[in-house]
Amino acid sequence: QVQLVESGGGLVQAGGSLRLSCATSGLIFSRYTMGWFRQAPGKEREFLSRIIWSSGSTYYADSVKGRFTISRDNAKNTVYLQMNSLAPEDTAVYYCAAQWWASSGSDYAYWGQGTRVTVSS
């Protein structure tokens, strides 16, 4: 059974930092591109970042570029999202997702349950 479990969310003051973790099991982690998404109340799901399975290249949405950093530890089957300079607009449920290496487009096969991030002003 494939599982993706996010952790690290919580309440943080504006300007603060959080590091989210996504621990995976039941999949060949090194063969998956990993992504982070978020969904705020009343808004559509938003792509934040992804890290390529083979090259390790990273990509970021403009809304988080320069503030968020994605990384992965293949030995731990875990992907991380370091979030700095947080603002109330970052309040959302954050999800990690896995895309099989042979897949194309924006289809992600597996999703975590989400972890809630609340940024107070």
Side-chain angles (χ1 to χ4, degrees), residues 6-14 16-21 36 81 83 86-88 90-94 113-121:
E6 301 97 333
S7 62
L11 176 64
V12 64
Q13 291 183 324
S17 298
L18 285 174
R19 188 178 75 160
L20 306 183
S21 298
W36 283 98
L81 186 68
M83 307 188 297
L86 287 165
D90 296 314
T91 295
V93 177
Y94 285 69
Q113 83 290 346
T115 185
R116 186 176 300 275
V117 172
T118 303
V119 184
S120 62
S121 60

Side-chain angles (χ1 to χ4, degrees), residues 6-95:
E6 301 97 333
S7 62
L11 176 64
V12 64
Q13 291 183 324
S17 298
L18 285 174
R19 188 178 75 160
L20 306 183
S21 298
C22 175
T24 72
S25 61
L27 50 72
I28 307 173
F29 180 77
S30 63
R31 295 301 182 98
Y32 282 85
T33 288
M34 301 299 299
W36 283 98
F37 300 78
R38 70 185 179 190
Q39 188 164 24
K43 299 182 67 176
E44 295 183 354
R45 186 182 64 202
E46 177 188 12
F47 165 79
L48 299 177
S49 182
R50 67 188 177 116
I51 183 166
I52 305 302
W53 70 277
S54 55
S55 66
S57 297
T58 59
Y59 300 87
Y60 298 92
D62 288 342
S63 60
V64 304
K65 191 175 299 181
R67 298 189 298 126
F68 291 10
T69 302
I70 191 172
S71 61
R72 67 190 297 161
D73 187 339
N74 285 354
K76 296 182 178 180
N77 297 333
T78 300
V79 63
Y80 305 93
L81 186 68
Q82 177 67 44
M83 307 188 297
N84 298 327
S85 301
L86 287 165
E89 295 75 37
D90 296 314
T91 295
V93 177
Y94 285 69
Y95 300 90

